[in-house]
Amino acid sequence: MIISTGTASGKSLAYLTPAVASCLDGDTILYLTPTKALAADQLRSLRELRITQLRAACFDGDTPFEERTWVRQHANYVLTNPDMLHRSVLPRHAQWSSFFRRLRMVVVDECHGYRGVFGSHVAQILRRLRRVCARYGSHPTFLLASATASEPGAFAMRLTGLEMDEVTTDASPKGSTTIALWEPPLTELRGEGGAPVRRTATAEAADLLADLVLAEVRTLAFVRSRRGAETVALTARAKLADVAFSLSTHHPRPSTGRPAASGTPSGLTTAAPAAGTTDPTRAPAAPAVGTTDPTLTPADSATGTTDPTFTPADPTTGTANPAHPATGTTDPTLIPADPAASTTDPARAPADPATGTSAHGGRANQPAPESSLTWALPDPPAKPDWTDLPNKIAAYRAGYLAEDRRLLEKALRSGTIMGLATTNALELGVDVSGLDAVLIAGWPGTRASLWQQAGRAGRDGQDALAVLIARDDPLDTYLVHHPQALFGQPVEAIVLDPDNPYVLGPHLCAAAAEIPLTDDDLPVFGATTSTVLDDLVSKGLLRRRPAGWFWTKRERATDLADIRGGGGAPIQVVESSTGRLLGSVDEPSAHTAVHTGAVYIHQGETFLVELLDLEAGVALVSSATPDFTTFARDITDISILATQRSHPLGPGTLHFGEVEVTRQVVSYLKRRLQSGEMLGDEPLDLPPRTLRTRAVWWTLPASAVAPLAEAGIDLGGAAHAAEHASIGLLPLFATCDRWDIGGVSTELHADTGLLTVFVYDGHEGGAGFAERGYSRAADWLTATREAITSCECERGCPSCIQSPKCGNGNEPLDKRGAVRLLNTLLSPQ
């Protein structure tokens, strides 16, 4: 069965009730989750039940080895993840024989997280689990749960290989959530090709996070990358440190109260007002580009613009009146109480029981009738001590040590930390009661992830705020200007391909190592199993005998499958002077994140990478405070191996098939932190990486592109721009992220002899994303053309045709030519 209802709708109760009852009857339960954070949260909930017969325990990479034997022998409710099931539990199933004989139920929580290559691996792990259970005579019920799954029954059947009932009716009570679409303003900075640059989503998120923490609004800020999460936390803490200094300097004694003011901090609008116009929510007017704004002092470290957050104390009253952290306007909430009345303003009354809104330092999570927010600071204590204010904000991400992650989760629940900048490590199901607001810095990749992240706030039934802050990216810009693409739309279909031979082959080897494969097992693993088995036998990985297929090697068969798609052992990040282990980075990401010379951020500390040793699996770093950031650049070649499907598209042809991609990081750019000024391009000597995957590509014949060339259009630049924009828009039609896919474009490709644009899956063997693009090509490319034409820039910018991961420095690009090229491709024939 799969339960697919909204966040905080009671799914946990739906599986906990029969699961705990089964434990009381002497059975065992296996609980699977994509993240360690969710397992730890569920374990805490189970222990709060205080049922002595319920022996719940986590079994994951954080479990001490001395505890693992106890878990195997005595636990009847085991919480683990697919990685541990794959590498430890199933290969050592004999040690778990007592547990498997009594296994009654397998709970697969937050199952929508199992998509793409990772989901395909998990599908095969679950088939191996079913096979091991059958060996011990148990046939457990599989109960799946997800808040955001499209066609849940069909998806659950692909994931488990079992027939599924589905529960989709959601009658749970909920508070309202206000969704804000936030587009950062353009800055005076110019990027590659002189393109205008918007203020970054991370800089906006840091401002808002600081605002909300000051207002005692418990907030999660979801950031796309580990570095981004660290940057948001670091910047927000710096702003709070400045506020703390200002308050401690200009508040020698506490005021008796401050009247609250209703206003929209930073302007909760779908789009930023035009430069130079006056927005009633922001005073004074935003200056036009190129003009001088007298409010901007000192410089903002994130954008290079000046920082409007602090003004000196009012000489009349002696109190500080800091400017609003996001807008630079003076914040009316910091006015002292009326000395004549010596009473607090009636606006600071306790929370209205009907709305839950408090203007007296409580949670400011309920928008006023005019869609504004109540933004007020709490009264200081009798002896105000603001020095601890920056410690109200921290970062959370994968790669932290287990004890650090647990401490951060506990601090957020207790309120010791009011703001947490996190990657999607906290997206799935972690119940943080009292969470009031969620900031989402950049489109999270899918509508499913958007609603999942927004659902983290308001989990105890109160009203909540969720803000989607657009990055300078084609899809983000498209969505804030086309909200109909978000609201009232179903979540995306979850794409996974368990029959991918690059996925199936390693798991057949692992299954044979666990229990020799027989003909009866073939239907469990799918229709292509016999073909893949023959290939494994020819490679010498399996041996065919009358009794079945046997694993022939001394090595661990599970090492063949890297289920997270990393493609190698993780790289350990070590501080060279102390030998301290800071964290880890997956091997492919190491080429771009911890290459020699890279700036690496960990828990607010900045480091420079001294050496990346891929053979030793170590990146040595040293503490530093550079005034620049680094961006890796690569070159990519692609060749067509086989064309599986084709059909006409306008005057051209659309194809889907297998390709080989070769990528090599060749250098890295250094840019000044404050201004974005280019400081240099440093060469790197890293090995190329070869990827056999699947791609969708389209070609146009010479007869169709000749008129464009005659009109003076740069065909290479037009194809390059169309490639960038189409990569940016594909996540709207497939459950992928732009970092899951890549692209190559050329005016004349060696394999086709024509102008060709490729978009490929960034995972070995493919993940189903390119195939989804092939099936939705007309809608996908139409949206791509609309995203380019609706952008207000003249020559192209990061909001339409520039890409943050372009190995060619976004050269050449032709915005006008891309529109003409797509018009030609989409024209009816």
Side-chain angles (χ1 to χ4, degrees):
M1 174 179 291
I2 179 169
I3 303 173
S4 182
T5 54
T7 55
S9 59
K11 293 185 295 297
S12 297
L13 184 64
Y15 62 70
L16 274 175
T17 303
V20 172
S22 296
C23 290
L24 298 180
D25 290 339
D27 297 319
T28 58
I29 302 297
L30 182 65
Y31 173 92
L32 289 177
T33 170
T35 66
K36 296 176 184 177
L38 181 52
D41 186 68
Q42 286 288 314
L43 180 62
R44 179 183 57 84
S45 300
L46 288 166
R47 288 178 174 171
E48 287 175 352
L49 296 176
R50 299 186 180 277
I51 300 175
T52 55
Q53 299 97 319
L54 182 65
R55 299 182 299 279
C58 281
F59 190 84
D60 55 33
D62 295 341
T63 306
F65 281 94
E66 57 271 18
E67 293 183 16
R68 296 187 180 188
T69 300
W70 184 93
V71 174
R72 286 194 296 265
Q73 294 177 354
H74 302 290
N76 56 9
Y77 196 117
V78 174
L79 303 97
T80 189
N81 50 57
D83 311 74
M84 208 67 179
L85 192 62
H86 164 63
R87 290 192 170 274
S88 180
V89 177
L90 294 178
R92 299 181 176 90
H93 58 84
Q95 299 177 2
W96 292 82
S97 58
S98 176
F99 180 86
F100 281 126
R101 285 192 183 96
R102 297 178 291 133
L103 186 59
R104 178 69 175 274
M105 181 185 297
V106 177
V107 178
V108 185
D109 202 2
E110 303 293 356
C111 61
H112 64 274
Y114 301 125
R115 59 180 177 86
V117 169
F118 178 48
S120 302
H121 279 292
V122 173
Q124 293 298 346
I125 291 170
L126 293 179
R127 285 157 174 78
R128 285 165 51 199
L129 172 62
R130 289 169 45 205
R131 184 167 169 266
V132 167
C133 289
R135 167 70 178 267
Y136 293 100
S138 64
H139 298 279
T141 298
F142 281 74
L143 199 156
L144 285 68
S146 170
T148 47
S150 176
E151 303 174 353
F155 158 67
M157 190 168 74
R158 287 198 304 274
L159 186 65
T160 63
L162 298 169
E163 293 292 331
M164 281 283 159
D165 288 331
E166 60 180 43
V167 175
T168 56
T169 302
D170 184 353
S172 60
K174 286 183 175 63
S176 64
T177 299
T178 299
I179 307 289
L181 304 181
W182 187 295
E183 184 174 50
L186 291 170
T187 69
E188 296 181 9
L189 300 177
R190 289 293 179 267
E192 292 170 317
V197 177
R198 292 193 182 276
R199 193 161 190 258
T200 64
T202 52
E204 294 285 282
D207 277 354
L208 287 172
L209 184 59
D211 284 356
L212 291 165
V213 169
L214 279 170
E216 294 196 348
V217 178
R218 200 175 304 180
T219 306
L220 271 183
F222 285 103
V223 191
R224 301 296 307 282
S225 67
R226 295 180 177 187
R227 176 184 290 187
E230 297 278 9
T231 301
V232 167
L234 195 64
T235 307
R237 285 168 63 94
K239 291 181 180 297
L240 290 187
D242 288 339
V243 171
F245 175 77
S246 178
L247 291 175
S248 62
T249 302
H250 300 298
H251 280 272
R253 59 181 178 82
S255 60
T256 56
R258 304 186 200 93
S262 292
T264 308
S266 308
L268 286 180
T269 57
T270 302
T277 62
T278 301
D279 181 346
T281 67
R282 305 177 67 161
V289 171
T291 62
T292 302
D293 184 354
T295 66
L296 301 180
T297 57
D300 181 331
S301 61
T303 65
T305 61
T306 50
D307 184 1
T309 56
F310 310 107
T311 58
D314 186 329
T316 305
T317 64
T319 59
N321 194 9
H324 191 285
T327 66
T329 61
T330 300
D331 181 8
T333 63
L334 300 181
I335 302 172
D338 185 344
S342 298
T343 59
T344 55
D345 188 280
R348 299 294 306 275
D352 182 344
T355 65
T357 305
S358 171
H360 190 63
R363 296 193 301 269
N365 59 340
Q366 172 69 22
E370 301 81 17
S371 297
S372 61
L373 296 177
T374 302
W375 197 82
L377 286 175
D379 284 331
K383 292 183 179 180
D385 180 11
W386 303 101
T387 57
D388 195 49
L389 194 56
N391 296 328
K392 295 287 186 181
I393 290 178
Y396 182 106
R397 60 170 175 80
Y400 281 4
L401 301 179
E403 53 267 29
D404 292 338
R405 294 197 303 269
R406 299 295 91 82
L407 286 173
L408 287 169
E409 293 160 18
K410 183 177 180 180
L412 184 61
R413 281 193 296 269
S414 67
T416 307
I417 288 176
M418 294 296 294
L420 202 59
T422 177
T423 59
N424 61 1
L426 284 180
E427 174 182 318
L428 301 176
V430 177
D431 185 3
V432 185
S433 298
L435 196 63
D436 307 300
V438 166
L439 306 175
I440 304 170
W443 172 246
T446 63
R447 283 186 289 265
S449 288
L450 175 70
W451 302 129
Q452 194 71 34
Q453 292 180 6
R456 294 308 98 205
R459 287 183 64 86
D460 59 359
Q462 82 271 19
D463 294 344
L465 169 70
V467 184
L468 173 61
I469 306 168
R471 290 175 303 157
D472 219 355
D473 177 90
L475 182 53
D476 290 45
T477 303
Y478 179 84
L479 291 172
V480 296
H481 290 283
H482 299 80
Q484 66 274 15
L486 288 178
F487 302 106
Q489 298 292 327
V491 296
E492 303 85 352
I494 300 174
V495 177
L496 67 149
D497 182 14
D499 295 329
N500 179 340
Y502 292 94
V503 172
L504 177 57
H507 287 285
L508 289 175
C509 291
E514 290 155 9
I515 305 167
L517 287 164
T518 66
D519 289 327
D520 293 338
D521 295 323
L522 302 190
V524 174
F525 291 98
T528 61
T529 303
S530 58
T531 303
V532 175
L533 281 173
D534 292 341
D535 184 53
L536 295 173
V537 170
S538 66
K539 292 179 179 178
L541 294 173
L542 295 181
R543 182 172 298 169
R544 178 72 189 270
R545 294 185 181 278
W549 289 265
F550 292 77
W551 172 245
T552 63
K553 304 291 184 181
R554 299 178 67 88
E555 298 82 11
R556 288 165 48 94
T558 52
D559 291 340
L560 294 175
D562 180 10
I563 73 170
R564 298 280 178 173
I571 302 297
Q572 306 298 319
V573 182
V574 177
E575 189 173 19
S576 59
S577 60
T578 64
R580 177 169 61 117
L581 176 64
L582 299 179
S584 61
V585 178
D586 61 271
E587 197 270 340
S589 298
H591 288 236
T592 55
V594 289
H595 57 76
T596 301
V599 175
Y600 178 77
I601 302 176
H602 177 80
Q603 289 190 342
E605 294 183 68
T606 306
F607 299 86
L608 273 179
V609 180
E610 298 175 353
L611 175 68
L612 170 62
D613 189 335
L614 293 172
E615 291 186 3
V618 172
L620 297 177
V621 303
S622 59
S623 181
T625 55
D627 65 345
F628 60 86
T629 57
T630 54
F631 301 87
R633 295 180 60 173
D634 61 29
I635 55 175
T636 305
D637 291 320
I638 191 167
S639 58
I640 299 171
L641 301 179
T643 301
Q644 296 177 348
R645 294 196 291 277
S646 300
H647 69 74
L649 183 63
T653 308
L654 186 74
H655 306 269
F656 171 74
E658 296 182 14
V659 297
E660 183 174 84
V661 181
T662 303
R663 294 183 61 198
Q664 183 175 16
V665 175
V666 294
S667 67
Y668 67 96
L669 303 177
K670 296 168 66 174
R671 288 178 177 162
R672 196 173 299 281
L673 192 61
Q674 295 183 356
S675 65
E677 174 191 357
M678 191 76 68
L679 299 178
D681 188 351
E682 303 290 336
L684 288 171
D685 183 18
L686 288 170
R689 297 181 56 84
T690 301
L691 179 73
R692 292 172 67 97
T693 184
R694 297 178 185 178
V696 54
W697 66 95
W698 50 268
T699 59
L700 279 173
S703 59
V705 298
L708 303 180
E710 292 170 1
I713 289 174
D714 177 1
L715 293 178
H720 193 196
E723 171 221 323
H724 281 183
S726 60
I727 289 173
L729 268 292
L730 182 57
L732 195 60
F733 301 90
T735 47
C736 68
D737 180 88
R738 74 176 298 160
W739 300 94
D740 289 327
I741 51 181
V744 176
S745 58
T746 176
E747 185 177 347
L748 189 66
H749 191 266
D751 294 336
T752 64
L754 302 170
L755 183 147
T756 311
V757 175
F758 294 86
V759 176
Y760 61 85
D761 291 344
H763 299 275
E764 193 74 33
F769 307 137
E771 188 170 14
R772 192 78 177 176
Y774 178 84
S775 64
R776 298 288 304 278
D779 295 336
W780 166 37
L781 295 173
T782 299
T784 300
R785 178 181 60 185
E786 186 175 347
I788 300 174
T789 55
S790 63
C791 185
E792 64 265 33
C793 72
E794 293 183 7
R795 299 177 53 202
C797 69
S799 293
C800 55
I801 62 173
Q802 290 189 354
S803 170
K805 59 175 185 172
C806 179
N808 296 319
N810 285 301
E811 290 290 344
L813 291 175
D814 186 341
K815 177 179 179 178
R816 183 174 64 92
V819 175
R820 292 280 301 274
L821 197 64
L822 289 169
N823 282 339
T824 301
L825 181 68
L826 296 170
S827 61
Q829 296 297 303

